[in-house]
Amino acid sequence: MSVTSRYREAWEGFWREAPGGQGGVFWDAEPTLTVVRHLALFEPYLSDPGLPLVDLGCGSGTQTRFLADRFPHVFGTDLSAAALDHARRADPAGRASYRRLDASDKGEAQSLHVELGDVNVYVRGVLHQCESDDRQPLVDGIATLVGDRGRAFLVEPSEAAGALLQNLTASPAGPPPKVAAVFRHGIAPGRVADDAVPEFLAAAGLTLLVSGTAPLTTTEYAPDGSRIELPSVWYVTGRAG
C-alpha cells in the first residue's frame, strides 16, 4: 500500500511554493528548539548510535543538517521531491544524503533496509499529516527500517493540540499565514488519538520503550507575540530484546 497520487501532489504543490530558508513553513523551527530537545530523550535508548540515521519526512532538511553534524551517516527522506530540492539547496556541502521515500510502501521501505541495513529513525509530526489509512502502513515501514537493532523516535501533536489549532483557524482574522498555506494545498492535518500510536507500534511488532509529553515548537506566533507551541506526545520504540 502506498499514498494516493492526490496526497503526493498536494505535498509537491506545497513545497514548490514554500519559501526557501529555515523557518519558512509552520513546523520548521530552529534545531535548538526541536531536534536538540528530542535527542536528549532519544539518545539514551540507542542500542547502536553508529547505525545510519533516517530523518523520515525531513521536509527542507533543517533538522537533518543538525543530525548530520552529530551522527556519521544521516539520510533525509521525504515523500516530496520538491521538499528534497529545498533540502539539497540548503546543504551544498552534502553533510547528509537525501532521497525520495514513501515509507508506507512496503517495497520502498524494504529496499532502503536492504541498502542501509538496520537504522535509527527520527519522525517528527508525520503521522498526523498522513491520511488515516496510511498511518499503520507508515509505522510498519518504520519497523522495517529499524530492523532488529535500530530505534525510532516519534513525536506527534497530542489530542490537546487539536483545540489550540482549531482556535487558531477559527480566529476572525483567519488562520496564521503559515497554517493557511498548508490548508490552501488541500492538506488537512488530522488528529491522532494519544493512545493510537502505541497500538500502531504494537501492530508493527515494535515495543514501546518509553514515552512522554513535551511542547512542539512552531515558527508561528500568537497575537500576543508569543511563539506557538503545540502539546505533543513522544515515543521511543524498537524490537524487544
Side-chain angles (χ1 to χ4, degrees), residues 14-39:
F14 172 84
W15 282 111
R16 281 195 293 267
E17 292 186 9
Q22 185 272 319
V25 300
F26 182 63
W27 51 82
D28 194 29
E30 305 93 312
T32 53
L33 300 177
T34 50
V35 69
V36 171
R37 295 174 176 176
H38 297 151
L39 283 177

Side-chain angles (χ1 to χ4, degrees), residues 22-193:
Q22 185 272 319
V25 300
F26 182 63
W27 51 82
D28 194 29
E30 305 93 312
T32 53
L33 300 177
T34 50
V35 69
V36 171
R37 295 174 176 176
H38 297 151
L39 283 177
L41 303 169
F42 187 29
E43 286 185 307
Y45 295 93
L46 295 177
S47 59
D48 187 347
L51 293 177
L53 188 143
V54 171
D55 182 6
L56 184 62
C58 69
S60 56
T62 298
Q63 317 310 319
T64 319
R65 294 188 295 277
F66 179 89
L67 291 166
D69 290 334
R70 182 174 287 252
F71 295 95
H73 306 289
V74 174
F75 294 81
T77 67
D78 203 278
L79 178 67
S80 166
L84 297 173
D85 288 342
H86 280 279
R88 292 187 181 101
R89 285 194 297 269
D91 187 12
R95 287 180 284 172
S97 299
Y98 303 94
R99 63 185 62 194
R100 193 171 184 178
L101 175 71
D102 174 3
S104 71
D105 184 292
K106 183 177 180 180
E108 290 192 29
Q110 288 175 334
S111 293
L112 188 58
H113 185 258
V114 168
E115 177 183 349
L116 301 180
D118 293 353
V119 302
N120 295 314
V121 181
Y122 176 65
V123 191
R124 182 174 62 101
V126 174
L127 274 177
H128 82 284
Q129 295 177 351
C130 291
E131 295 183 337
S132 58
D133 288 346
D134 291 322
R135 289 173 184 161
Q136 185 65 61
L138 176 66
V139 177
D140 292 344
I142 293 169
T144 296
L145 293 173
V146 301
D148 294 324
R149 296 180 296 146
R151 297 287 186 264
F153 180 90
L154 299 87
V155 58
E156 291 292 328
S158 67
E159 291 180 57
L164 191 154
L165 286 170
Q166 187 173 11
N167 288 337
L168 287 174
T169 57
S171 165
K178 294 173 186 176
V179 176
V182 178
F183 290 131
R184 187 168 63 249
H185 288 279
I187 301 165
R191 297 187 189 185
V192 178

